[in-house]
Amino acid sequence: MAETARRIPTLPVLPLLGGVLALGVVLFLGWNLSGPVGFILELRVTKLVALVLVGAGIGMATVLFQTLAGSRLLTPGIVGFDALFVFLQTLLVISLGGLGYTMLPPTAKFLAETGILIVAAMALFGVLLKDGARDMTRMILAGVILGVLLRGLAALGQRTLDPSEFAVVQQAVVASFNTVPKDQLAIAALVLLIATTLSLRLAGRMDVAALGERTARSLGLNYRRTALQALALVAAMSAVSTALVGPITFLGLLASSLAHHVAGTHRHAVLLPAAALIGAAILVYGQFVFERLLSMQSSLALLVEFAGGVLFLALVLRRAR
Amino acid sequence: MIRIDQVGLTLHGHDILTDVSAEIPKTGITALIGPNGAGKSSLLHCVAGLTRTSAGRIEVDGLDIAAAPDLERARTLAILTQSQAVSSRLKVEDLVAFGRWPHHQGQITARDRDIVDEALDTFGLQDLRGRYLDTLSGGQRQRAFVAMTHAQSTGWLLLDEPLNALDPRYAHDLMSRLHAMSRPGPDSRAVVIVVHDLNAAAAWADRVVAMKDGRVVAAGPRDEVLTETTLTGLFDTPFGVLSHANRLFIFTNG
């Protein structure tokens, strides 16, 4: 790969990205604001908070995950986390029935889901990343096969459901920002705030971990402990974001790829906030365009999946060459 | 002094090292030689604390390697391993700067910068310091990693086949630098090196440890180990050794 256009290291990437996101926030809240302003603003703010939280959480989780996996191609969603979410939702509807599922107290359900997802994600990533995870082929194969297996099991389960129960599952597994309860937002915000603080404290050690397990350990890094802490953070941030709105598989890939590209540094102290700002900006601008300019509802996740999927293919093809 | 005491290593049911004992004084260059699969790299990894031994004990400067805190270990010895998979997009100077991490674990100081600069000088990397690692040749990359271990400023340098991928000029360059920095003095570094090039060992090493099938078969001053009988037995190949102008020349006999 030839080196083109040396990046200027002093470029204030984070303030710039912050400005871009702030502009998106202003547009999202202020565009075409008329009628009962207070009521509309409250709706918009709630949705905005959900967009920012999910974008930031998924963005940071993906950066941490990719450093541990030693690959810019893999994300928690791609190695099977999202399939796991779909599987769990299906299992829940099957065991409780469609009515039982919808009757669950939402906050308790959200907390239980987040908890289960964290535990399941730790198990999933722990198995995939065992032995240093430098074996890319094994990672991708294991993740993809596991994903197919879980989706297959979920599809099998969904066949046993009646149409109304099936509709309940469908609603649960397609990402949507339209109806996010405020108490769940508050919990998610708290979890993500703590996870962000811990991630930034881990940033210096993640820089060393990115050198690979052997080199990192020869520099005196306790690699196992660092990897375990990072994995726990990945699990927590992925779980809380997914439990909040549903899975958006390729959002993380988009945010992390762009962060690595515009930040032009290996330092996680810059990469993590950059990915958070970019992830949030993608969702805020996307929702703004769809909702305000095109007057469409809930197609944002689809668009993100499409753009992210194309990027994923491009990355795979470029590596394959 | 590195003290290796009855060290054994078993991986997945295979005995990699068996009852290895050796003492390496903290001066000069010690070369580890032996056929493929003799356990040279494994022994080096055990000494560096990267691989946990199954039996025995290793001390480096009195530090029990198995029990030593990670950072203290990284300030006592630096190791260059054979393959380096780096996922970050790093510049040469960033990589070399990581050698200072065991000393500061965060904000780099002016002193750290000076040491990094000196390491870049020493290994002829000043012209390449702004280049990204993935744009370098194998040999240039190798030199960058050697510079990183050098910047760790440890009393011990362990290098696993550092001559791989280096052309004769840089191989000679590297060995003569290692030789110079391992001479007795205030900033002296003791060097332990795994080499396959027996003539490089003959030219630069002060002591040689010969290994075969996970055991030490000979150890001592260069001239005592690099003999026709020892080498022939070590590699199961007929060897000849010539002495000329105070140097040893080693070759295989058809």
Side-chain angles (χ1 to χ4, degrees):
Chain A
M1 212 188 305
E3 184 54 34
T4 51
R6 175 79 45 84
R7 290 183 191 96
I8 308 154
T10 49
L11 198 76
V13 176
L14 294 180
L16 260 167
L17 289 174
V20 171
L21 178 60
L23 179 68
V25 167
V26 171
L27 283 174
F28 185 84
L29 292 179
W31 189 272
N32 209 1
L33 191 62
S34 59
V37 172
F39 176 72
I40 293 180
L41 260 187
E42 194 186 330
L43 275 183
R44 287 187 180 183
V45 167
T46 312
K47 196 179 279 187
L48 176 77
V49 171
L51 292 166
V52 169
L53 287 180
V54 170
I58 297 284
M60 287 187 291
T62 306
V63 167
L64 290 177
F65 184 84
Q66 291 188 335
T67 295
L68 288 182
S71 154
R72 296 277 176 78
L73 212 55
L74 301 180
T75 72
I78 290 170
V79 300
F81 180 76
D82 290 348
L84 192 73
F85 176 78
V86 172
F87 176 70
L88 286 177
Q89 293 298 323
T90 311
L91 211 61
L92 219 55
V93 175
I94 291 174
S95 52
L96 297 175
L99 194 63
Y101 179 87
T102 41
M103 295 280 281
L104 283 175
T107 307
K109 174 168 161 287
F110 171 72
L111 284 175
E113 260 174 30
T114 308
I116 293 172
L117 279 173
I118 289 177
V119 173
M122 283 298 283
L124 172 70
F125 302 152
V127 170
L128 288 178
L129 294 174
K130 219 180 99 193
D131 303 330
R134 295 287 145 183
D135 189 350
M136 273 279 292
T137 322
R138 196 190 80 158
M139 277 274 287
I140 295 184
L141 274 180
V144 168
I145 290 171
L146 205 72
V148 170
L149 176 71
L150 289 173
R151 276 182 214 282
L153 284 176
L156 179 70
Q158 286 165 12
R159 296 211 187 268
T160 67
L161 299 172
D162 65 44
S164 63
E165 286 177 325
F166 182 72
V168 172
V169 176
Q170 280 301 305
Q171 187 130 44
V173 300
V174 172
S176 160
F177 291 91
N178 288 328
T179 48
V180 184
K182 281 194 200 115
D183 50 348
Q184 293 183 20
L185 269 184
I187 298 169
L190 186 68
V191 172
L192 285 173
L193 190 72
I194 295 170
T196 304
T197 315
L198 294 176
S199 300
L200 289 174
R201 280 180 52 183
L202 205 61
R205 275 173 283 161
M206 289 307 284
D207 296 345
V208 181
L211 297 175
E213 175 169 5
R214 220 185 253 166
T215 306
R217 287 182 53 208
S218 76
L219 289 173
L221 180 77
N222 187 332
Y223 187 87
R224 281 188 79 84
R225 191 164 66 199
T226 307
L228 204 67
Q229 287 170 348
L231 267 192
L233 290 170
V234 172
M237 290 194 281
S238 308
V240 81
S241 307
T242 308
L244 198 62
V245 298
I248 312 176
T249 304
F250 288 112
L251 174 64
L253 188 74
L254 274 176
S256 172
S257 299
L258 284 170
H260 277 287
H261 193 76
V262 300
T265 173
H266 63 281
R267 294 185 54 230
H268 286 75
V270 179
L271 285 172
L272 286 167
L277 291 170
I278 291 171
I282 291 174
L283 291 184
V284 171
Y285 277 95
Q287 190 77 10
F288 168 72
V289 169
F290 268 93
E291 221 178 271
R292 302 284 186 285
L293 302 183
L294 304 176
S295 303
M296 286 192 270
Q297 292 287 329
S298 71
S299 348
L300 170 63
L302 270 177
L303 179 79
V304 173
E305 299 295 36
F306 178 71
V310 170
L311 175 69
F312 182 67
L313 273 180
L315 289 174
V316 170
L317 289 175
R318 206 175 67 184
R319 282 183 71 96
R321 224 178 271 151
Chain B
M1 162 96 82
I2 293 179
R3 207 187 295 270
I4 302 167
D5 191 17
Q6 298 181 321
V7 161
L9 176 66
T10 307
L11 287 179
H12 308 298
H14 297 283
D15 289 330
I16 310 293
L17 297 174
T18 314
D19 196 20
V20 172
S21 293
E23 286 190 355
I24 302 173
K26 196 176 181 179
T27 175
I29 297 181
T30 304
L32 284 177
I33 63 166
N36 297 130
K40 309 179 294 290
S41 297
S42 300
L43 182 61
L44 208 65
H45 284 194
C46 287
V47 171
L50 295 182
T51 306
R52 198 167 271 280
T53 54
S54 314
R57 181 185 164 88
I58 296 174
E59 271 180 26
V60 180
D61 296 346
L63 191 72
D64 178 2
I65 284 301
D70 297 301
L71 286 169
E72 193 175 346
R73 198 189 68 222
R75 289 192 290 254
T76 306
L77 58 88
I79 181 170
L80 172 80
T81 56
Q82 268 193 62
S83 62
Q84 298 90 13
V86 173
S87 65
S88 327
R89 194 140 188 275
L90 283 181
K91 285 180 190 158
V92 170
E93 56 186 357
D94 296 330
L95 178 78
V96 177
F98 272 115
R100 301 304 302 161
W101 195 79
H103 301 272
H104 61 69
Q105 301 123 55
Q107 213 52 51
I108 204 160
T109 66
R111 195 178 115 75
D112 293 321
R113 247 182 269 281
D114 289 345
I115 292 173
V116 169
D117 223 44
E118 187 226 308
L120 289 168
D121 269 337
T122 308
F123 294 95
L125 292 164
Q126 283 293 2
D127 294 342
L128 298 173
R129 64 182 298 162
R131 287 269 295 275
Y132 284 98
L133 282 184
D134 52 7
T135 68
L136 300 183
S137 75
Q140 292 170 326
R141 246 175 92 91
Q142 179 83 330
R143 274 155 57 209
F145 275 94
V146 174
M148 179 185 84
T149 48
H150 181 264
Q152 241 174 293
S153 309
T154 52
W156 290 93
L157 266 184
L158 316 182
L159 307 166
D160 194 357
E161 298 194 29
L163 301 182
N164 279 0
L166 294 188
D167 65 25
R169 175 191 155 192
Y170 281 113
H172 176 272
D173 236 47
L174 176 63
M175 289 312 296
S176 66
R177 284 192 203 287
L178 292 176
H179 188 261
M181 68 179 70
S182 64
R183 295 309 98 191
D187 283 331
S188 169
R189 317 271 188 97
V191 175
V192 183
I193 181 171
V194 174
V195 274
H196 276 299
D197 181 349
L198 296 173
N199 281 299
W204 300 106
D206 299 288
R207 282 170 310 279
V208 175
V209 175
M211 292 184 72
K212 188 181 187 181
D213 299 330
R215 296 169 190 272
V216 172
V217 295
R222 167 187 55 192
D223 296 357
E224 288 174 23
V225 178
L226 298 180
T227 62
E228 289 181 1
T229 342
T230 308
L231 291 174
T232 302
L234 185 64
F235 291 97
D236 295 316
T237 306
F239 266 94
V241 179
L242 276 181
S243 183
H244 174 72
N246 228 355
R247 286 190 57 183
L248 292 178
F249 296 90
I250 299 168
F251 51 93
T252 51
N253 271 327

